[in-house]
Amino acid sequence: MYSNIEGAALITMHIKEFWNQLSPETQQWLIENPGSMIIPRTQTAILNHETGEDSPVDGHGGTLLTEEDREFIRAQARRIEPK
């Protein structure tokens, strides 16, 4: 899915759909960075490898997270927080 922020086309990923395909390390990175709107190039490459996706990326190699993705990641973080 394509989005537009400040005139730049960015590729979006729906993390919820791929969550169970992600390694624990990748899930942890996302949980530790729940406010990130754009997944950096290196992490995007890892996500694409783990999910088998070969989707195009933005001009910097990043992937845009939707608000729905960020909410899902925050919910995952709350789920594993120690009580």
Side-chain angles (χ1 to χ4, degrees), residues 13-77:
M13 175 177 282
H14 297 285
I15 294 297
K16 185 176 184 177
E17 297 172 23
F18 297 107
W19 188 256
N20 291 329
Q21 296 174 23
L22 301 178
S23 69
E25 295 81 13
T26 300
Q27 289 177 356
Q28 187 63 36
W29 185 92
L30 290 165
I31 287 168
E32 289 174 356
N33 298 279
S36 295
M37 291 185 69
I38 299 174
I39 299 172
R41 167 182 48 217
T42 302
Q43 202 62 40
T44 292
I46 293 168
L47 283 166
N48 285 339
H49 176 75
E50 290 178 354
T51 63
E53 294 292 303
D54 192 23
S55 59
V57 294
D58 72 4
H60 301 286
T63 301
L64 178 70
L65 288 176
T66 64
E67 180 59 33
E68 180 182 350
D69 290 331
R70 293 189 306 275
E71 286 295 324
F72 174 79
I73 293 166
R74 286 190 286 269
Q76 295 301 308

